[in-house]
Amino acid sequence: MSSIAISLLDIEDDASECLVAEDYQTREGKWCAGCGDFGALNAVKRLLAKEQLKPEKMAFVSGIGCSSRFPHYVNAYGFHGIHGRALPIATGLKLARPELDVFVVMGDGDCTSIGAGHWIHATRYNPNLTVLLLDNNIYGLTKNQTSPTTPQGYKSNTSPRGSVLPALNPLQATLGVSNASFVAQTADWVPAHMYATLQAAYQHTGFSFIRILQRCPKFTPDVFQDQIKNPDLTELLVHEDGVDAPGLERLFKARRVHDPKDIDEARSLAQRTDMLRLGIFFRDDSFPVYDEIRSVRPVSPEEKVQGLEREFDRYAV
Ligand SMILES: Cc1ncc(C[n+]2csc(CCOP(=O)(O)OP(=O)(O)O)c2C)c(N)n1
Ligand SMILES: [Mg+2]
């Protein structure tokens, strides 16, 4: 079930070498034609090239799902992990190797269903991770089961008469957690916005949570169709501390100035369903970051043995 994907191209450690987006891809993504995961991968590759990140200095951690195939395609260290467990794996990695840039890729089932407990606590721990939730509103890999984010009434193999509950809103849930420090929403069909959002998330110090609305042409082809066809149903959140990209103002007429420091407005906007909102809902760099306050000091084998002996002595009878 779990496997480790290590994919480093043989790139010489030459400071003068400039990597382009294509240098960060190892092979063609194995997703269906029209899957939004392709767009997310492209945006990530652009980010890595913009930041000139070294493949050997970053890691991509995922769970299990179509979206979790991501690490196989990125030229970096990768851990294609266990369903729902990407966040604790990534948190442990960041604690042990703070010098690495750690990215996490999860599906909606991965993050908001089996991994929900980890999601809440990772948000509160606020480790310095860039976290992508690829939300196609369905379990894709296992072929069409209702997930927590499936819209009410939507039919699937597990809910043939339609999902009975209102969908869980990942933005609302994340914004409700103490110490949540960065929450944004973007969409795979607005690549310029997705790229700008990834850049802002990467630059944020702490748990940068991005919900990427992701098309699944196979099992949820309808869920985002209205918004894709009619840009007037989408409102961009804009601010000097938010994200924007050239040309977006021509496509999206509805723009709202929202200060990402305003948690009350962020929560109120996240729960509204009148329009689709893209942008940074909340960000605050001043919150405690777990890997900074609890950094793990490297321990030598001798120190480990001494520590064990101390503990054995303590419990000796
Ligand atoms: C512990 C465990 N439970 C269940 C599964 C089966 N399983 C694999 S992927 C998946 C859901 C994938 O959906 P999602 O996380 O939304 O990712 P997507 O495929 O839609 O990208 C499930 C239930 C598993 N691999 N491991
Ligand atoms: Mg999914």
Side-chain angles (χ1 to χ4, degrees):
M1 181 174 62
S2 60
S3 62
I4 295 177
I6 294 178
S7 49
L8 279 180
L9 280 186
D10 188 17
I11 290 172
E12 283 174 27
D13 193 11
D14 175 357
S16 65
E17 187 173 12
C18 179
L19 298 177
V20 297
E22 289 318 313
D23 292 325
Y24 289 99
Q25 183 156 4
T26 53
R27 60 187 123 136
E28 195 63 31
K30 233 181 168 185
W31 292 303
C32 304
C35 174
D37 291 345
F38 285 108
L41 179 59
N42 280 338
V44 165
K45 280 159 47 187
R46 280 183 67 196
L47 169 76
L48 304 182
K50 167 83 179 25
E51 300 290 339
Q52 283 297 296
L53 299 188
K54 291 199 170 148
E56 69 277 19
K57 294 282 184 223
M58 57 179 172
F60 279 72
V61 180
S62 66
I64 298 286
C66 300
S67 40
S68 288
R69 299 186 58 79
F70 220 88
H72 292 274
Y73 310 132
V74 184
N75 182 21
Y77 285 108
F79 195 134
H80 184 183
I82 307 167
H83 193 38
R85 313 293 179 227
L87 286 171
I89 293 168
T91 304
L93 176 60
K94 187 68 191 171
L95 279 169
R97 297 288 305 276
E99 76 282 11
L100 297 182
D101 280 314
V102 181
F103 295 81
V104 181
V105 184
M106 297 178 288
D108 42 307
D110 230 5
C111 174
T112 72
S113 190
I114 191 170
H118 297 303
W119 166 39
I120 302 298
H121 292 289
T123 303
R124 174 172 164 258
Y125 276 52
N126 195 29
N128 194 6
L129 306 172
T130 306
V131 180
L132 282 63
L133 164 59
L134 285 162
D135 191 351
N136 56 7
N137 292 190
I138 202 78
Y139 287 6
L141 187 77
T142 44
K143 302 192 188 301
N144 200 23
Q145 293 86 29
T146 295
S147 98
T149 62
T150 304
Q152 192 170 22
Y154 207 87
K155 293 187 173 132
S156 76
N157 286 345
T158 44
S159 310
R161 279 174 285 176
S163 170
V164 289
L165 292 171
L168 183 148
N169 177 334
L171 300 176
Q172 234 185 324
T174 313
L175 285 165
V177 178
S178 325
N179 214 32
S181 72
F182 183 106
V183 179
Q185 177 157 269
T186 188
D188 81 61
W189 59 92
V190 196
H193 191 271
M194 184 163 48
Y195 171 60
T197 309
L198 278 170
Q199 266 184 293
Y202 173 73
Q203 278 149 15
H204 172 77
T205 304
F207 189 83
S208 313
F209 181 82
I210 316 171
R211 181 194 192 196
I212 301 177
L213 303 172
Q214 178 239 318
R215 286 169 292 179
C216 172
K218 187 83 183 147
F219 300 121
T220 47
D222 317 323
V223 288
F224 306 123
Q225 274 312 307
D226 291 347
Q227 286 81 4
I228 292 169
K229 284 189 188 140
N230 180 3
D232 292 345
L233 300 177
T234 296
E235 182 177 73
L236 288 194
L237 303 182
V238 292
H239 190 269
E240 57 186 9
D241 294 328
V243 290
D244 209 348
L248 288 180
E249 70 286 352
R250 287 201 301 278
L251 188 58
F252 299 106
K253 301 286 179 279
R255 294 161 75 85
R256 172 191 293 266
V257 177
H258 164 64
D259 180 353
K261 270 229 152 85
D262 186 342
I263 185 74
D264 293 331
E265 190 177 61
R267 287 179 177 146
S268 146
L269 291 172
Q271 72 177 13
R272 279 172 56 176
T273 50
D274 53 329
M275 286 188 103
L276 174 63
R277 291 195 167 79
L278 304 182
I280 301 187
F281 282 72
F282 184 70
R283 95 197 277 180
D284 192 325
D285 269 304
S286 69
F287 291 179
V289 172
Y290 196 74
D291 42 294
E292 288 179 359
I293 52 180
R294 294 299 300 271
S295 62
V296 182
R297 187 178 61 84
V299 182
S300 70
E302 293 74 29
E303 282 177 298
K304 281 183 189 161
V305 171
Q306 283 165 9
L308 269 175
E309 280 171 356
R310 256 197 319 273
E311 289 304 303
F312 289 147
D313 288 347
R314 220 150 67 88
Y315 293 104
V317 280

